[in-house]
Short mmCIF file of all heavy atoms in Angstrom, two decimals:
data_model
loop_
_atom_site.label_atom_id
_atom_site.label_comp_id
_atom_site.label_asym_id
_atom_site.label_seq_id
_atom_site.Cartn_x
_atom_site.Cartn_y
_atom_site.Cartn_z
N GLN A 86 -90.67 -17.88 -142.21
CA GLN A 86 -89.91 -17.57 -143.42
C GLN A 86 -90.70 -18.05 -144.62
O GLN A 86 -90.85 -19.25 -144.83
CB GLN A 86 -88.54 -18.23 -143.37
CG GLN A 86 -87.67 -17.89 -144.57
CD GLN A 86 -87.30 -16.42 -144.62
OE1 GLN A 86 -86.89 -15.83 -143.62
NE2 GLN A 86 -87.47 -15.82 -145.78
N ALA A 87 -91.20 -17.09 -145.40
CA ALA A 87 -92.02 -17.42 -146.55
C ALA A 87 -91.23 -17.26 -147.84
O ALA A 87 -90.29 -16.47 -147.92
CB ALA A 87 -93.26 -16.53 -146.58
N SER A 88 -91.64 -18.01 -148.85
CA SER A 88 -91.01 -17.91 -150.16
C SER A 88 -91.99 -18.35 -151.23
O SER A 88 -93.03 -18.96 -150.91
CB SER A 88 -89.75 -18.79 -150.21
OG SER A 88 -90.08 -20.14 -150.00
N GLY A 89 -91.68 -18.02 -152.49
CA GLY A 89 -92.45 -18.54 -153.59
C GLY A 89 -93.27 -17.54 -154.37
O GLY A 89 -93.92 -17.90 -155.35
N GLY A 90 -93.29 -16.29 -153.97
CA GLY A 90 -94.07 -15.32 -154.71
C GLY A 90 -93.41 -14.97 -156.03
O GLY A 90 -92.32 -15.43 -156.34
N GLY A 91 -94.10 -14.15 -156.83
CA GLY A 91 -93.54 -13.73 -158.09
C GLY A 91 -94.60 -13.26 -159.05
O GLY A 91 -95.75 -13.04 -158.67
N LEU A 92 -94.19 -13.13 -160.31
CA LEU A 92 -95.07 -12.68 -161.38
C LEU A 92 -95.53 -13.88 -162.19
O LEU A 92 -94.71 -14.72 -162.59
CB LEU A 92 -94.34 -11.69 -162.28
CG LEU A 92 -95.04 -11.23 -163.55
CD1 LEU A 92 -96.31 -10.45 -163.20
CD2 LEU A 92 -94.11 -10.39 -164.41
N VAL A 93 -96.82 -13.95 -162.43
CA VAL A 93 -97.38 -15.06 -163.20
C VAL A 93 -98.51 -14.53 -164.07
O VAL A 93 -99.19 -13.56 -163.71
CB VAL A 93 -97.86 -16.19 -162.27
CG1 VAL A 93 -99.00 -15.72 -161.38
CG2 VAL A 93 -98.24 -17.44 -163.04
N GLN A 94 -98.71 -15.17 -165.21
CA GLN A 94 -99.80 -14.77 -166.10
C GLN A 94 -101.13 -15.31 -165.60
O GLN A 94 -101.17 -16.33 -164.90
CB GLN A 94 -99.53 -15.28 -167.52
CG GLN A 94 -98.34 -14.63 -168.19
CD GLN A 94 -98.21 -15.03 -169.63
OE1 GLN A 94 -98.75 -16.04 -170.07
NE2 GLN A 94 -97.48 -14.22 -170.41
N PRO A 95 -102.21 -14.66 -165.97
CA PRO A 95 -103.54 -15.19 -165.60
C PRO A 95 -103.69 -16.63 -166.08
O PRO A 95 -103.29 -16.97 -167.20
CB PRO A 95 -104.50 -14.25 -166.34
CG PRO A 95 -103.75 -12.97 -166.45
CD PRO A 95 -102.32 -13.36 -166.65
N GLY A 96 -104.26 -17.45 -165.21
CA GLY A 96 -104.39 -18.88 -165.50
C GLY A 96 -103.21 -19.71 -165.06
O GLY A 96 -103.28 -20.95 -165.08
N GLY A 97 -102.15 -19.06 -164.65
CA GLY A 97 -100.95 -19.77 -164.23
C GLY A 97 -101.01 -20.25 -162.79
O GLY A 97 -102.04 -20.11 -162.11
N SER A 98 -99.89 -20.80 -162.33
CA SER A 98 -99.81 -21.37 -160.99
C SER A 98 -98.56 -20.88 -160.26
O SER A 98 -97.55 -20.55 -160.88
CB SER A 98 -99.75 -22.91 -161.07
OG SER A 98 -100.91 -23.44 -161.67
N LEU A 99 -98.69 -20.85 -158.95
CA LEU A 99 -97.56 -20.56 -158.07
C LEU A 99 -97.72 -21.39 -156.81
O LEU A 99 -98.85 -21.74 -156.44
CB LEU A 99 -97.51 -19.09 -157.68
CG LEU A 99 -96.90 -18.07 -158.62
CD1 LEU A 99 -97.05 -16.67 -158.05
CD2 LEU A 99 -95.44 -18.38 -158.90
#
Side-chain angles (χ1 to χ4, degrees):
Q86 183 65 47
S88 61
L92 173 64
V93 64
Q94 292 187 340
S98 298
L99 279 176

